[in-house]
Structures are given as structure tokens and as C-alpha cells.
Amino acid sequence: MRTHALFLAVLALGIAIRGVVIFAYRPALLFADTNSYLRNARDLSLSEVRPSGYSIFLWPFVHLTDSMMAVQLVQHLIGLLLAVGCYALLVRRGLPVWGATLAVVPLLFDPLQLVLEHYILSDFLFEALLVLACLALLWRRRPGLAAVVAAGALVGTSGLVRGAGTFLLAAFLVAVLCLRLSWVKVVAFLVAAILPMGAYAVAFHHGHGKYAVTKAGPRFLYARVATIVDCQDPQLRLPSYERRLCPRPPIARRGNTNFYMWGSSGPVRTTSFQWHFTPPPGMTQEQVLKDFDKRVVRSQPVAYTRAVLKDFAGGFAPTRTYEVPGYPMYYWRFANHYWAYDTFIARSRVTPKVLRKVDWDPAAAAFMAAYGRWVYLPGPLAAVLLLVAAAATLGLGRARRSGDRIAIGLLAGSCALTLLTGAAFSGFSWRYQLAQMPLLPMAGALGLAALVRGRAVGQPEPAPPLRALDRAAELMTRLPVPAAWRSGVRRAAERGWLQVVLAVIAGLAAAGLWGAAAVGSGWMLPAPAAVIATVVGLVVALVLLVARARARSDSLPGRPPASVGPSTDEPAAHDRARL
């Protein structure tokens, strides 16, 4: 208790602030999407528009109690348990108590975290599954089979709560491969991740005739590109039936992504054209929209990339007042009344029956409104934490000797991938930035420790550098070829020429695979695909060569061992280094 007194005191304050939120807005914060989640939870129907994982989570609450207060009580409790788990992981990784406590402060006190814990929305459950997957995989430096299976199941389930979870599988797979686990564990991870998605896809096919998690992916992307597409571009060759999908106003006067998705703009609700146009015979609306999306991204990649990066950067704004049209920030900031239904009341979309179910305490709500204006994780600080984590993951400076680089890379990479996915398919909204609260402070704290101290006292040696080129060259020296050829190959390997040739071949193979996949998928034209493929090939070749150079430098005779902290026997340490 004395050792962790600081964290326990901060945790008590986190419990207290959640008590104020629960008392201020009763029974929970409700949003327009809440109704669809609750409706699907009553009969366990799978939505065509969104993954229904959150509705499955709500099913016991809907059938056991009519009050939504139980949902937000459980969500607040999960938020507190996540803070305990993150703190414990950081302490196990060697951070001091004060550093680990400071890293979980945003998870305990940030108003965005508190707001989304109190909403009946899927964002918090997605965050919880993502954090639990990271904890399961990183709890031990060499995770066991049960931990790997748990991490895979959690990642796969996150894709059933929000579409962004589908892409997280790539980040976790890279981490699993970098941990150099046995092939049994790698296969177990993939099976555990794919199994929940596969079961959901089978159930979705039974209800909607398609093996998928949702059918609305092309619709969300259409709303994203409709705001930026230049239909007069000669590179954009649209069939006649897709010309009708081009917005008529000029780009500067178009509606926002919310309008092109749902048709909601101003006090009058209309219906977006994408929902009621007639596709040509033999095609569905989703197929036509997907083809339109591909043509736009393929012909105007610069405009699309610029829009995505702008929305990605919006999550690191200095204040929480930043917003984009169609996604107002006040939905996600506390107010001195029950503000969640303000817009819907103005549009006459909320019945008096619904309003009778909600209540608020004026004093507590006023306190939370003032609290939200001053207490939050500043965007520039979050950006610095991301950069620190990136530097440590790349092994700059003393971080090269740290055994936490894979953990740092997974925490920061999964967060960045989640933010980029939201920006690419839906645009900017503060609710999509929730992953920053737990992941970036953890990654930044571990990254800063790695950059400052390198390998901590008691920390095991990091995994040896990748020596794929040397292993491949060794295999080539054993090929059944004439002795003269084998001798020449051996000399080339000893001088390093063979490794350079193998790196170039690997780069060319990676570039070819990338280019073929990009062009074959229909998302890129040959010219930009060739440019990106060239960059990919160069990066692969350079990574292999740098890894080999580092491996050779680490194995040079007379090189002093990695620092493990201050030595109490300097002569003995000097003798060991010479030996």
C-alpha cells in the first residue's frame, strides 16, 4: 500500500470524478446512434450499417433491466480497471511509481474519456478491447500461448465493435512476428483473431446474404470522398450511371461528410442521394459506390491523402474547440445541462417520452462543464508523446538497447492506425480520438525511459538484431552447386557482396508484390503505384542492410556490453568489457 500510495490516491480521485458524472447526467448520455444499438440488442439482429458487437454487449442489460444506468456503471468500472491494468504493466516494465501514475492520468481524468464512458456508444468498448489486447500480449516479455490467444480474440472482437478494429490485426501481427514467437503461437494468434470475425461473417451472411461485417463501408467512404472529388478531372473516368453520384456544388460550397452520408444538414433532415439512386441491372448500390470510391481515390490520391492527414492532425489540436463541419465538438464536452439531445430537439427528432427518461443535476453539471474546459490532454503534448514513441521504436540513441521497443511500437502504432482509419473512412470527430487517452501516454512514457536510460537495471537483453541476410547467404553457400561456384559464393558472403545482392532482390520482390496488389485491387493507377512500390523496395532493402550492420557491430570483439545502470565495481566492469 505504501509503495503504490500515489497511484491509489490518484485512483480514488478518478473514482470520485466518475461519481460526479454519474450524479450529474442520469441515467446515461444518449445519442442518435444509441437507439439503433439498443434496437439491435433487443433481438440480436445484425445491422447492415455498423458492426453489432456493441449491441451484443448491451444484450444482457436490455433483457435484465430497463435502466441504462447499469450500462454506464459497468463502463465506468471497466475504465477504472483499465487504468489499474495500464499502471501495473508500466510498473512491470520498470517505470517508477510516479512515472506510471502520470501516464494513466489521461485515462482517469480526461473529459473525453469520461464523456464516452457515460455515453451509450460503441467507442468506449472498442477502446477497452484494444487496451486489453495490448495488456494481454505485453504482460510478459515472452507471452505464453494463453496470452497470445487472448490477445488475438480481443483484437478480432474489436473489429466487431468498430470497423477500425479490422485493420488492427496487421499491427498486432507485426508485433507477434517481432517477438519471434514459435510458429504455433503465431498460428494460434491468427486463428483466435479470425474465429470471431468468421463466426460473425457467417451470421451476417445468414441475415443479409453476404460474408462481411458490414455492408456500409463503401457508403462511409463515398461520404468521405464526395466532399473533395473534382468530377471535371480528366483522369476521373466515370461511367454514365456513376456521374449522378458527383456532387453538383463546387468543392468550396459542398456539404460535409455527415450530409453526404446521412443527408442531415441544417434544421431540415433530407436523405442523401446515395441511399435512393437506382443502380444498373446486375449491380447493387454498394457495388456502384465501391467502384466510384475506387475511381476517385485512384485518380485523385493527393487530394484524398491531404484530407486524411488534415483530419488526422486535427486530433492533436491545442484545444478541444477544434471541429469540422458536420461533427460539432460540443457533443463530446460536458455542459451545464443535459446537452446530448440539444440538436435533435431543435430538429424535432426526440419525443417527449424520451426526454422524460433523462435528468441532470444543475450544480454537478455546472462543475463538469467548468472541469471540461480546463482539464484535458493537450494535443501538442499527445503529438510529442507519439514522436518520442516513434524515436524509441526505431532504436535511436540509447533506445537501441531497450527491450521495450516492441511494446512501444505496438502501443503507438495501434493508436496511430486507429486514428488514421477513422480519418480515412469517416473524417474527423473527437469521439474517434479516444484511443489517445490510454495508448499514447503509455507509449510515450516507455519511449522516454528507453531514450534516457537504455536498458534498465534488471531488464533482460533485447532480442538479437535481425540477421536474415547472413542466414540467407549461409544457406546459399550450402547449395548443391560445383565446388568452384560454392567457393565464389562463400567469398562473396564473407566480403558482404552477396548480402547486398540479396537485399536488392528482397527489395525488388517487395516492390513487385506491392505494385501488383495496389494496381490489381483497383485502388491505384500504375504510375503512383510504381512510385510507392519503389519507396517500399528501398525501405525493405535498407532495413535489411541496417539490421545486418547493427548485428555485425554488436558482435565485434572488444565491444563493451550494454549499460545496465551504474556499476558498483568499475575495475571489474572494465575487465569484463576487455574480456
Side-chain angles (χ1 to χ4, degrees), residues 382-398:
V384 170
L385 293 174
L386 181 60
L387 293 176
V388 168
T393 303
L394 293 174
L396 302 182
R398 295 183 177 180

Side-chain angles (χ1 to χ4, degrees), residues 513-557:
L513 291 174
W514 166 265
V519 176
S521 65
W523 288 99
M524 297 192 72
L525 291 173
V531 173
I532 298 179
T534 302
V535 175
V536 169
L538 290 174
V539 169
V540 169
L542 287 175
V543 166
L544 291 173
L545 291 173
V546 170
R548 177 180 181 270
R550 286 192 169 188
R552 288 178 60 83
S553 65
D554 289 344
S555 61
L556 289 177

Side-chain angles (χ1 to χ4, degrees), residues 103-138:
V104 298
V105 163
L107 183 56
L108 285 171
F109 297 105
D110 193 282
L112 183 64
Q113 178 73 32
L114 299 176
V115 162
L116 287 170
E117 284 183 18
H118 207 60
Y119 263 112
I120 307 297
L121 288 174
S122 63
D123 301 86
F124 170 72
L125 181 60
F126 174 78
E127 176 204 40
L129 291 172
L130 175 56
V131 174
L132 289 174
C134 292
L135 293 178
L137 191 62
L138 302 177

Side-chain angles (χ1 to χ4, degrees), residues 6 21 83 116 122 126 156 158 176-177 185 210 226 234 270 283 376 383-384 406 426 467 477 492 529 550 563 569-570:
L6 177 61
V21 174
L116 287 170
S122 63
F126 174 78
S158 71
V176 169
L177 294 176
K185 293 181 180 179
K210 180 181 180 181
T270 59
M283 299 184 70
Y376 56 87
V384 170
I406 297 174
S426 300
R467 308 191 66 165
T477 60
R550 286 192 169 188
S563 174
D569 187 1
E570 289 299 332

Side-chain angles (χ1 to χ4, degrees), residues 203-412:
F204 191 88
H205 178 268
H206 180 74
H208 302 290
K210 180 181 180 181
Y211 290 102
V213 175
T214 176
K215 294 174 66 175
R219 296 188 182 277
F220 280 101
L221 187 54
Y222 168 78
R224 187 73 182 85
V225 301
T227 61
I228 62 169
V229 59
D230 180 9
C231 290
Q232 306 303 320
D233 186 355
Q235 294 287 338
L236 183 62
R237 300 181 178 90
L238 296 175
S240 58
Y241 56 86
E242 292 183 13
R243 279 283 172 186
R244 295 173 295 174
L245 294 171
C246 284
R248 294 182 180 180
I251 295 178
R253 296 175 55 189
R254 289 180 189 171
N256 50 64
T257 57
N258 201 34
F259 170 75
Y260 287 109
M261 181 63 194
W262 307 113
S264 178
S265 180
V268 180
R269 180 173 176 80
T270 59
T271 304
S272 177
F273 178 71
Q274 67 156 304
W275 293 95
H276 59 79
F277 75 93
T278 302
M283 299 184 70
T284 63
Q285 286 186 345
E286 287 78 13
Q287 289 174 334
V288 175
L289 290 169
K290 184 176 181 179
D291 186 70
F292 180 86
D293 297 338
K294 283 185 176 182
R295 293 176 184 272
V296 173
V297 175
R298 186 171 61 231
S299 62
Q300 300 174 10
V302 176
Y304 176 69
T305 303
R306 186 187 301 118
V308 172
L309 292 180
K310 179 182 177 182
D311 285 344
F312 175 77
F316 302 96
T319 67
R320 294 283 170 84
T321 59
Y322 175 79
E323 64 180 22
V324 297
Y327 295 89
M329 40 69 59
Y330 63 82
Y331 284 147
W332 323 114
R333 290 187 66 185
F334 290 113
N336 58 3
H337 63 288
Y338 192 93
W339 80 99
Y341 269 148
D342 285 354
T343 301
F344 307 112
I345 294 172
R347 297 177 182 175
S348 301
R349 290 168 52 195
V350 176
T351 63
K353 180 181 179 181
V354 173
L355 293 177
R356 285 195 295 269
K357 296 181 180 179
V358 300
D359 193 12
W360 67 90
D361 181 88
F367 171 79
M368 292 309 306
Y371 174 91
R373 285 193 295 269
W374 298 102
V375 180
Y376 56 87
L377 175 65
L381 177 58
V384 170
L385 293 174
L386 181 60
L387 293 176
V388 168
T393 303
L394 293 174
L396 302 182
R398 295 183 177 180
R400 178 180 172 184
R401 295 291 180 179
S402 174
D404 292 327
R405 289 169 57 189
I406 297 174
I408 299 167
L410 177 62
L411 294 169

